[in-house]
């Protein structure tokens, strides 16, 4: 099972887009945990677009829109720009029904400015993205630059605790459940990448330090319940306020 990068990864997501929503529906708590992480941004109602100063959010790596829906449930009425590098995943997202103020952009996280995605945003949500990018430091630096002073970030990611038991659970779930189903659907490459990318990516502690090095402050690592314990975490942080930057 090899890791996929850039165009190969986007092509694998394009192929898997048709079955993606069914796969995640079989993952207990997938949507509930995304909503929990989105709420951890600590933002409330965004106001209706066009009716006062709304909250501007970026959903980076939005896929078929599961994280976009989670963001909207946490911050109703927000203006959301949802970005993904896979045209196939975006096509699925766009085919759903969205409130006013939600827009989808086909772009890599590494090329947001070129795609016309400009800040400042009040907050960024990135669910299951960072493991997949070739240069997470570069993407974190780009995100930091798009946030308003004091702007917030929530990263929801498979990041192992470092304890062998959690890694063993992850491998058992992938080998016993995820990979057999994915292979039958013809998506063995992508879900093989999923297993390996988690095992090889930062531990939760390492990713938190990576965020601090990128200039985020008040970085907190929050656990998620159920089988996600020690496997999936929410990372919340913010950029310094104008006063802190002065
Ligand atoms: C596992 S899916 C998660 C989708 C969604 N956030 C969710 O929670 O269901 C990861 C998404 O990240 C996108 N992605 C991976 N690398 C990317 C990159 N460098 N730039 C933008 N999107 C990327 C993929 O195309 C895919 O749709």
């Amino acid at each position: 099972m090899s890791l996929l990068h850039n165009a190969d990864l986007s092509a694998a997501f394009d192929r898997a887009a048709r079955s993606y929503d069914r796969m995640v529906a079989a993952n207990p708590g997938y949507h509930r945990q995304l909503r929990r992480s989105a709420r951890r941004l600590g933002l409330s109602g965004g106001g209706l677009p066009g009716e006062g100063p709304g909250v501007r959010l970026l959903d980076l790596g939005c896929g078929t829109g599961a994280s976009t829906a989670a963001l909207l449930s946490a911050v109703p009425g927000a203006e959301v720009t949802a970005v993904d590098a896979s045209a196939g995943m975006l096509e699925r997202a766009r085919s759903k029904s969205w409130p006013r103020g939600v827009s989808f952009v086909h772009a890599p996280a590494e090329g947001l400015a070129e795609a016309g995605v400009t800040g400042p945003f009040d907050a960024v949500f990135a669910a299951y993205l960072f493991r997949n990018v070739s240069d997470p430091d570069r993407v974190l630096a780009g995100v930091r630059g798009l946030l308003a002073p004091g702007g917030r970030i929530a990263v929801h990611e498979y990041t192992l605790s470092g304890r062998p038991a959690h890694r063993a659970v992850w491998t058992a779930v992938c080998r016993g459940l995820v990979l057999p189903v994915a292979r039958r659907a013809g998506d063995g490459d992508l879900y093989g990448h999923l297993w390996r990318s988690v095992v090889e990516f930062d531990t939760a502690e390492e990713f938190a330090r990576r965020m601090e090095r990128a200039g985020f402050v008040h970085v907190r690592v929050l656990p998620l319940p159920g089988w996600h314990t020690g496997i999936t975490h929410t990372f919340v942080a913010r950029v310094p306020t104008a006063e802190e930057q002065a």
Side-chain angles (χ1 to χ4, degrees), residues 6 9-10 13-14 20-21 24 30-31 34 59-68 83-87 89-90 107-112 125-134 139 156-158 190 194:
N6 305 321
L9 182 63
S10 290
F13 272 111
D14 287 346
Y20 189 83
D21 287 346
V24 301
Y30 187 87
H31 296 284
L34 281 176
D59 179 14
L60 205 48
C62 65
T64 61
S67 44
T68 318
V83 175
D84 202 278
S86 158
M89 295 290 272
L90 273 182
E110 299 82 348
L112 296 176
F125 191 41
Y128 303 114
L129 171 79
F130 275 97
R131 237 176 339 99
N132 290 308
V133 304
S134 307
V139 175
H156 174 102
E157 189 56 88
Y158 293 125
L190 182 63
L194 169 68

Side-chain angles (χ1 to χ4, degrees), residues 5 20 22 31 37 47 49 57 70 78 117 162 171 175 178 212 230 234 236:
H5 296 290
Y20 189 83
R22 279 197 305 280
H31 296 284
S37 287
L57 307 178
V117 177
T171 295
R175 294 220 171 116
V178 178
E212 285 170 354
T234 321
V236 287

Side-chain angles (χ1 to χ4, degrees), residues 112-156:
L112 296 176
E114 295 83 340
V117 177
T118 53
F121 288 96
D122 298 296
V124 174
F125 191 41
Y128 303 114
L129 171 79
F130 275 97
R131 237 176 339 99
N132 290 308
V133 304
S134 307
D135 187 345
D137 291 330
R138 181 176 157 207
V139 175
L140 277 172
V143 165
R144 200 200 142 184
L146 286 173
L147 281 165
R152 302 173 192 188
I153 182 170
V155 173
H156 174 102

Side-chain angles (χ1 to χ4, degrees), residues 9-199:
L9 182 63
S10 290
F13 272 111
D14 287 346
R15 285 192 296 276
R18 69 195 180 292
S19 57
Y20 189 83
D21 287 346
R22 279 197 305 280
M23 284 295 281
V24 301
N27 175 344
Y30 187 87
H31 296 284
R32 198 167 51 248
Q33 304 315 345
L34 281 176
R35 288 193 294 270
R36 185 186 292 258
S37 287
R39 280 197 304 275
R40 285 171 167 174
L41 279 168
L43 296 169
S44 51
L48 288 174
E51 296 175 13
V55 173
R56 228 184 140 220
L57 307 178
L58 176 63
D59 179 14
L60 205 48
C62 65
T64 61
S67 44
T68 318
L71 258 184
L72 286 167
S73 80
V75 198
E79 180 187 323
V80 181
T81 303
V83 175
D84 202 278
S86 158
M89 295 290 272
L90 273 182
E91 192 185 326
R92 291 275 158 178
R94 285 192 177 113
S95 73
K96 297 172 184 172
S97 159
W98 299 100
R100 211 151 46 99
V102 177
S103 58
F104 292 95
V105 179
H106 183 209
E110 299 82 348
L112 296 176
E114 295 83 340
V117 177
T118 53
F121 288 96
D122 298 296
V124 174
F125 191 41
Y128 303 114
L129 171 79
F130 275 97
R131 237 176 339 99
N132 290 308
V133 304
S134 307
D135 187 345
D137 291 330
R138 181 176 157 207
V139 175
L140 277 172
V143 165
R144 200 200 142 184
L146 286 173
L147 281 165
R152 302 173 192 188
I153 182 170
V155 173
H156 174 102
E157 189 56 88
Y158 293 125
T159 40
L160 297 174
S161 67
R163 286 177 53 191
H166 292 139
R167 182 184 159 131
V169 171
W170 172 246
T171 295
V173 167
C174 287
R175 294 220 171 116
L177 295 169
V178 178
L179 279 164
V181 175
R183 285 191 185 116
R184 277 201 294 281
D187 295 323
D189 283 0
L190 182 63
Y191 290 88
H193 160 89
L194 169 68
W195 172 72
R196 197 168 152 196
S197 64
V198 174
V199 167

